[in-house]
Amino acid sequence: MSEEETMHTTAEAISAPAVPRGLAGVIVTDTGIGDVRGQEGFYHYRQYDAVELAANRSFEDVWHLMVHGRLPDAAEQADFLARTAALRALPAEMRSVLPAISRATSPSGPLAGLRTALSMFGALAGLSPVYDLDAEGRRSDALAACAVVPTLLTALYRLGQGLAPVEPRTDLPYAANYLYMLTGTEPDSGRARAIEQYLIATIDHGFHASTFTGRVIASTGADVVACLTGAIGALSGPLHGGAPSRALDALDAIGTPDRIRPWVRERVIAGDRIMGFGHPVYRTQDPRSQMLRTIAEGFGGPLVDFAVQMEAEVEQLLAELKPGRELHTNVEFYAGVVMELCGLPRSMFTPTFCAARVIGWSANILEQAADSKIIRPAARYAGPPPPQPVPVL
């Protein structure tokens, strides 16, 4: 960059308008993938209500919608299911190193292991930068990377428990195969469908930190796995990925319904966050939470009864202690309940969320890769005024 260009860029940065911290609410691009309308309690994938999709379509149908831009017809549905199922198996070279990855990342869990394992998969597959590929080549790489994520996550979990990984099956759909690889037992249809609906409902949810991270990397022209690995890293942060297990931990800590109000009151007064309540975008009911509550109530039982009672009492108490704020259950609250009822270990709650969100990331990566403009925002310098003399010892 020439001196004149440098001066021009610096001047632009100095004169740039102030923006909210964290770019909150700042529009940075156009997208055809979906959006969240927080005031309405509504979100959508492409032109369809996401909750309606979860109620009426399969995971593979919605995956097709995200990467192809349309829901499949019957022939496309069968072809897509067969194509993605055939991509689930890991390269032979990976099977020998997964135990070492599991041991090295055991303190942090399968999500940390996934970053390493997925990077290795990308290297073994010889994925090219998206900049060098046409649309079909990028889509093929994205499908391959997304298809192995459940296989990697479940293998890393089982190895961490001293169990042998379970090979994927091509005759089971995405959600049922995920549960099968996790537990070693083919799930019943009710639990498989409950997890499938959870996965569909969490594929995408606006322009959050991990999606933005994946798109920033895609704008550099990097390969699909590099983009996905960066997004996984962003998701791993506790301020973003959340933890459905923590909502269940709160239920465990409370123990009995009569302790709900004193337990919550004590923590709100102390300034603590009540896990599973509140959302940075929704100013009304989170539609994902409402859907998952219905699924949980379909199972029934003491855990569900306790969760429903806690929801009602906590929302009432938060309205008293924080008047004027709309604080309702978010997706984490009933997601934890549903996953617990379906037999998932709590350490796999957030990795399961990742197994869904990887589809949304891939759609965003493909969309970003179609635009060759690199994302390069500016920062306003706020340190000591330069230039100052360099001290000489």
Side-chain angles (χ1 to χ4, degrees):
M1 184 181 289
S2 69
E3 182 178 353
E4 181 180 349
E5 289 173 322
T6 302
M7 291 176 63
H8 179 67
T9 301
T10 303
E12 281 186 336
I14 292 172
S15 62
V19 296
R21 291 180 63 203
L23 302 180
V26 175
I27 304 299
V28 296
T29 194
D30 294 325
T31 182
I33 293 170
D35 193 22
V36 180
R37 300 179 189 171
Q39 298 294 336
E40 301 172 38
F42 171 78
Y43 74 113
H44 58 101
Y45 302 156
R46 306 247 182 229
Q47 68 269 42
Y48 301 107
D49 181 328
V51 172
E52 187 177 345
L53 285 168
N56 296 295
R57 301 300 293 252
S58 71
F59 185 88
E60 283 82 1
D61 285 352
V62 182
W63 188 357
H64 187 283
L65 169 70
M66 298 301 278
V67 300
H68 287 284
R70 66 184 187 282
L71 286 169
D73 59 27
E76 290 172 326
Q77 183 185 63
D79 178 71
F80 191 78
L81 179 59
R83 181 181 180 186
T84 52
L87 295 170
R88 293 170 181 166
L90 299 177
E93 300 93 329
M94 291 214 66
R95 295 192 181 96
S96 62
V97 298
L98 278 179
I101 295 174
S102 177
R103 287 193 299 271
T105 58
S106 60
S108 301
L111 198 61
L114 178 64
R115 296 201 300 268
T116 301
L118 190 59
S119 290
M120 183 177 182
F121 169 81
L124 288 170
L127 300 189
S128 298
V130 294
Y131 184 80
D132 297 330
L133 297 172
D134 61 15
E136 181 53 36
R138 295 168 191 155
R139 191 156 43 236
S140 293
D141 284 357
L143 292 178
C146 291
V148 299
V149 165
T151 310
L152 290 172
L153 284 171
T154 54
L156 289 165
Y157 169 76
R158 289 181 66 85
L159 287 166
Q161 301 299 307
L163 301 170
V166 174
E167 291 297 316
R169 284 170 50 177
T170 59
D171 61 321
L172 293 175
Y174 190 93
N177 179 66
Y178 178 73
L179 289 173
Y180 169 72
M181 290 191 297
L182 185 64
T183 65
T185 303
E186 184 174 341
D188 64 68
S189 59
R191 285 171 172 76
R193 180 57 181 157
I195 293 300
E196 180 174 50
Q197 289 182 280
Y198 165 70
L199 292 173
I200 293 171
T202 51
I203 280 176
D204 189 63
H205 201 250
F207 220 72
H208 42 68
S210 56
T211 289
F212 186 45
T213 300
R215 290 188 72 129
V216 168
I217 299 171
S219 80
T220 72
D223 67 72
V224 167
V225 162
C227 304
L228 291 175
T229 303
I232 293 166
L235 180 72
S236 69
L239 295 182
H240 177 31
S245 60
R246 294 186 185 182
L248 284 182
D249 292 342
L251 285 170
D252 290 344
I254 293 170
T256 56
D258 61 292
R259 295 193 63 235
I260 293 174
R261 293 182 71 87
W263 189 92
V264 172
R265 181 182 295 276
E266 178 182 339
R267 275 148 188 81
V268 171
I269 292 174
D272 296 339
R273 178 186 173 192
I274 306 302
M275 300 305 296
F277 288 80
H279 192 275
V281 176
Y282 288 117
R283 295 299 174 262
T284 182
Q285 293 280 351
D286 184 334
R288 301 168 301 174
S289 179
Q290 292 177 295
M291 185 199 78
L292 290 166
R293 179 177 59 203
T294 300
I295 293 172
E297 288 174 333
F299 285 103
L303 175 61
V304 177
D305 294 342
F306 190 13
V308 170
Q309 183 172 349
M310 179 174 173
E311 176 188 20
E313 295 200 26
V314 171
E315 288 191 354
Q316 183 182 47
L317 187 57
L318 289 173
E320 296 172 8
L321 298 175
K322 296 179 179 291
R325 295 182 61 184
E326 289 283 342
L327 295 171
H328 304 280
T329 53
N330 56 43
V331 67
E332 294 176 11
F333 188 77
Y334 282 108
V337 173
V338 169
M339 284 190 276
E340 182 98 338
L341 292 171
C342 291
L344 275 73
R346 295 188 186 185
S347 62
M348 286 299 288
F349 284 7
T350 301
T352 301
F353 176 80
C354 179
R357 189 53 58 87
V358 69
I359 307 301
W361 291 331
S362 70
N364 274 276
I365 290 163
L366 294 175
E367 185 178 68
Q368 186 64 49
D371 179 0
S372 61
K373 180 68 173 177
I374 191 171
I375 297 174
R376 192 191 185 285
R380 180 176 285 105
Y381 177 72
Q388 296 191 26
V390 177
V392 178
L393 293 177

